[in-house]
Amino acid sequence: QVPLVESGGGLVQAGGSLRLSCAASGRTFSSYGMGWFRQAPGKEREFVAAIRWSVGSTYYADSVKGRFTISRDNTKNTVYLQMNSLKPEDTAVYYCAARRVSGPATQSRFYDYWGQGTQVTVSS
């Protein structure tokens, strides 16, 4: 099992910002693709963003493009999700995920490891 630990969630007003972190431990993630997903109450888990760990190419859902930024710090084995201009519809539990190949994936079934999730609530 590959531990992934998310942090940084919380309550913020619409228009505000949060930065989520995903710390991976136990091994080097230089060959892993990483992603962020979210799940709102009563809805299916949806793709938010992904990054190719070794190269750094990034991919975003249309709903967050221009507002969210995924990045990584290889020295800390950590992936970040900077969320700006937050909207009430961004409210969800956010999950970090890792896959054993470096390429990105927008479907959750292609990821092998998941964190426990962190709650993000955006008030109007």
Side-chain angles (χ1 to χ4, degrees), residues 65-84:
K65 201 171 294 183
R67 299 189 298 122
F68 291 10
T69 303
I70 187 171
S71 62
R72 84 274 192 255
D73 185 337
N74 291 345
T75 64
K76 297 181 179 179
N77 238 14
T78 300
V79 175
Y80 304 98
L81 185 68
Q82 178 67 44
M83 305 185 295
N84 298 328

Side-chain angles (χ1 to χ4, degrees), residues 39-44:
Q39 188 167 17
K43 295 187 177 182
E44 293 186 354

Side-chain angles (χ1 to χ4, degrees), residues 14-82:
S17 298
L18 284 173
R19 189 177 80 156
L20 306 183
S21 299
C22 172
S25 62
R27 67 183 63 188
T28 301
F29 279 75
S30 60
S31 61
Y32 281 59
M34 304 294 293
W36 286 96
F37 289 76
R38 67 186 182 187
Q39 188 167 17
K43 295 187 177 182
E44 293 186 354
R45 190 169 297 189
E46 65 174 359
F47 169 75
V48 175
I51 187 166
R52 197 183 280 266
W53 191 274
S54 58
V55 177
S57 299
T58 57
Y59 308 85
Y60 298 95
D62 288 342
S63 59
V64 307
K65 201 171 294 183
R67 299 189 298 122
F68 291 10
T69 303
I70 187 171
S71 62
R72 84 274 192 255
D73 185 337
N74 291 345
T75 64
K76 297 181 179 179
N77 238 14
T78 300
V79 175
Y80 304 98
L81 185 68
Q82 178 67 44

